[in-house]
């Protein structure tokens, strides 16, 4: 059985496959590297589009608004909120996240 470690890490130290704990969600980071760009005062900003692993619990408990986990799409005359369970983890080195990571 794989063991996990719990860490507090700045955004730059997140890795593919990490689970970020945010607002009661368990967001698994994708296998691809994050988008990066230069932000305020030249700090590098990192953005990971992850997937909420405990989506049913998040929705049942109302941990975040349902609309935050949807993508709007046009459906033949009306807009609909299509539930995707995607969540973006974003920040620079000033942002610190609680992370579950497989032990090495």
């Amino acid at each position: 059985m794989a063991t996990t470690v719990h860490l507090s890490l700045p955004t730059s130290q997140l890795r593919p496959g990490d689970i970020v704990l945010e607002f009661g969600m368990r967001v698994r980071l994708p296998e691809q590297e994050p988008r990066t760009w230069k932000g305020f005062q030249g700090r590098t900003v990192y953005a990971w589009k992850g997937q909420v692993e405990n989506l049913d619990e998040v929705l049942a408990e109302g941990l975040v608004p349902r609309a935050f986990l949807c993508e709007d799409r046009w459906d033949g005359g009306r807009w609909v909120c299509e539930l995707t369970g995607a969540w973006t983890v974003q920040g620079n080195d000033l942002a610190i996240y609680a992370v579950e990571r497989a032990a090495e």
Side-chain angles (χ1 to χ4, degrees), residues 46-76:
Y46 304 84
W48 300 80
K49 188 172 183 179
Q51 190 65 36
V52 178
E53 290 201 331
N54 60 332
L55 185 58
D56 291 340
E57 175 188 349
V58 169
L59 294 173
E61 297 294 324
L63 300 174
V64 297
R66 181 182 177 88
F68 288 10
L69 300 167
C70 292
E71 290 186 12
D72 293 329
R73 68 174 174 79
W74 186 252
D75 184 26

